[in-house]
Amino acid sequence: MTKDDGTPSALCLGRDLMLAGSRLRDAVGRRAQREFGLTALQSDMLLLLAVHGSMISTELAAACGVNASTVTHAVDAGIERGLMRRDRNEADRRLVDIVLTPAGKRMAERVRALVADLARAALEGVDQPAVLAESLAQVTRNLEKD
């Protein structure tokens, strides 16, 4: 669907954004599983923890768009593989931080390279990737207001 002036409708753009995000996440999940034995969620969590240093389960769940019990299972698997650990939160002893181990930091770098490789392939034929990147960042900021 397009408007009278030929631009795509908001519905089409929204659908295309959701589809592109889903396809990229699926591609990351397939390659991460094949190359590293990680799920898409575990890959996402590694990247988030590499950026933030530590997060509590509810923060990880919100950032990944899943519920806390799903994150708990993924963290347990990460701990079993020696990629993550749970530490008491220094500011609030009732909370438990999820942090990367040295092996988890190395794996996060491998996942980051995988995502960059897939993003480069996904951007083939895109005239102005920097404009697209800024536009998508703005979309993300707009959606975070909700």
Side-chain angles (χ1 to χ4, degrees):
M1 276 190 285
T2 60
K3 297 179 186 176
D4 292 338
D5 65 1
T7 61
S9 70
L11 176 62
C12 287
L13 285 171
R15 184 185 52 79
D16 289 345
L17 282 171
M18 290 187 334
L19 185 58
S22 177
R23 294 268 167 85
L24 181 59
R25 184 174 179 80
D26 289 347
V28 168
R30 282 191 305 276
R31 279 208 30 207
Q33 182 66 50
R34 185 173 59 242
E35 295 179 23
F36 312 132
L38 297 172
T39 65
L41 175 59
Q42 290 167 331
S43 299
D44 199 14
M45 288 172 34
L46 288 172
L47 294 175
L48 285 165
L49 291 169
V51 169
H52 295 282
S54 70
M55 298 174 80
I56 61 173
S57 291
T58 54
E59 292 171 332
L60 271 173
C64 294
V66 297
N67 63 42
S69 66
T70 301
V71 164
T72 298
H73 294 296
V75 169
D76 288 344
I79 289 171
E80 286 178 27
R81 290 202 46 196
L83 302 174
M84 300 173 199
R85 70 174 190 272
R86 290 183 176 97
D87 288 344
R88 273 285 157 219
N89 183 289
E90 294 295 321
D92 185 343
R93 304 290 293 160
R94 296 170 296 173
L95 301 177
V96 176
D97 291 326
I98 311 301
V99 298
L100 294 179
T101 64
K105 290 176 184 177
R106 289 189 299 275
M107 183 62 75
E109 284 303 315
R110 295 173 72 189
V111 170
R112 183 177 291 132
L114 180 150
V115 172
D117 184 51
L118 285 168
R120 276 190 294 278
L123 289 170
E124 284 182 23
V126 174
D127 292 334
Q128 298 179 345
V131 172
L132 176 61
E134 181 50 41
S135 296
L136 290 173
Q138 183 61 53
V139 168
T140 300
R141 288 190 295 273
N142 292 344
L143 292 171
E144 287 173 346
K145 293 176 188 176
D146 199 17

